[in-house]
Amino acid sequence: MLQTPSGGAGHGTAAADSGLMSIGTVLNVLREEFPEVTISKIRFLESEGLIEPQRTPSGYRKFSAGDVERLGHVLRMQRDHYLPLKVIREHLDAMERGEEVRLPALGRQRDGEAVPEQTDGPTAARIGRAELLAAAGIDERQLAEWEAYGLITALADGVYDAEAVTVAALVAELGRFGIEPRHLRLMKAAADREAGLVDQVVAPLRRHRNPQTRALAEARTKELAGLTMRLHAALVRTALGVRLP
């Protein structure tokens, strides 16, 4: 939980007495939970209208405890749920109106991988088309294009599994950097090959008559999926020569 100090490293006694914080103080507070956050990130979220800090006559930003708490919500929804900023803004506005907000709880981080969380409601296992569009902050044209490239696939009854929300949100975020769906076909092909390898290993267990052995196949599938995702992430980091948080 974010700890918000009563004062900040402000410019002048009035700012400290008012309980407002400088951007540097806010950065230190947020880094307790979000070590990767930067001043540039805070400024970007301000430019996107997610927060509106006060300004001193000389132009310095001054953040209230409410601003810091709101920033925490934004960063948490990005980190844990991969939600685009448009959807995050809508959730925050709903929270301020006192409405109950239900998030597509799909992106809890564990060793660099996204782990689905089980919740009540449609996001626990399946989600309708309209709910997917709303959760990912996309329109019908975008979803149709992504389906054409095989990035998102509906189930037999026309609904989607909950992981489709995570995929859609990530594709949308990559689009902000100019990465188009057609560029992601190689990633999809690689993912299909990795899934095929895992399936090849566990297939004999799945076909076994013993229920306990079939249950072991499910557990083994999850374990192998986690290992392949971690290996994939490590290989990408190595190829790029960077260390990601």
Side-chain angles (χ1 to χ4, degrees):
M1 187 66 181
L2 294 174
Q3 300 297 319
T4 54
S6 58
H11 295 265
T13 305
D17 291 343
S18 68
L20 298 179
M21 291 168 271
S22 69
I23 194 169
T25 301
V26 171
L27 182 67
N28 291 333
V29 172
L30 290 172
R31 277 184 170 169
E32 294 181 13
E33 183 178 352
F34 310 99
E36 74 285 356
V37 72
T38 63
I39 286 179
S40 295
K41 175 75 170 182
I42 296 173
R43 288 173 176 164
F44 169 74
L45 293 176
E46 179 190 357
S47 70
E48 292 293 313
L50 274 302
I51 53 170
E52 296 181 4
Q54 299 180 34
R55 295 273 187 162
T56 66
S58 53
Y60 290 105
R61 295 173 177 83
K62 289 299 172 184
F63 298 79
S64 67
D67 292 328
V68 179
E69 194 68 24
R70 187 177 174 93
L71 276 169
H73 285 308
V74 172
L75 295 171
R76 208 169 289 114
M77 281 190 268
Q78 283 189 313
R79 180 194 65 192
D80 298 343
H81 305 279
Y82 298 107
L83 294 180
L85 294 181
K86 176 184 176 182
V87 177
I88 291 175
R89 187 182 297 107
E90 292 172 353
H91 284 324
L92 291 174
D93 291 343
M95 291 168 61
E96 289 185 349
R97 293 193 299 268
E99 300 175 10
E100 182 180 358
V101 174
R102 301 191 66 177
L103 298 172
L106 298 169
R108 188 175 74 253
Q109 289 291 308
R110 185 183 66 196
D111 295 333
E113 63 181 275
V115 182
E117 296 178 4
Q118 297 302 317
T119 62
D120 295 330
T123 57
R126 298 187 174 193
I127 185 170
R129 190 176 186 87
E131 293 169 308
L132 174 58
L133 292 172
I138 59 175
D139 56 33
E140 281 282 359
R141 180 191 60 78
Q142 289 172 295
L143 180 55
E145 181 183 13
W146 300 351
E147 288 177 318
Y149 283 111
L151 300 174
I152 295 178
T153 304
L155 302 176
D157 52 1
V159 298
Y160 302 82
D161 63 33
E163 196 66 31
V165 179
T166 299
V167 174
L170 289 172
V171 173
E173 285 296 303
L174 287 169
R176 292 178 50 242
F177 295 90
I179 299 178
E180 300 177 11
R182 60 189 177 87
H183 299 142
L184 302 177
R185 287 181 295 182
L186 291 177
M187 291 187 184
K188 178 62 167 62
D192 289 342
R193 288 194 296 270
E194 291 171 8
L197 178 60
V198 171
D199 187 66
Q200 181 180 347
V201 172
V202 301
L205 298 176
R206 286 201 184 108
R207 293 193 296 264
H208 206 280
R209 293 183 178 180
N210 189 324
Q212 292 182 335
T213 303
R214 293 199 297 271
L216 175 62
E218 182 68 18
R220 189 65 55 81
T221 298
K222 293 179 180 178
E223 182 179 5
L224 287 171
L227 289 172
T228 56
M229 285 189 289
R230 291 169 60 187
L231 174 60
H232 180 85
L235 290 173
V236 171
R237 289 195 296 265
T238 299
L240 293 173
V242 298
R243 180 173 179 82
L244 302 178

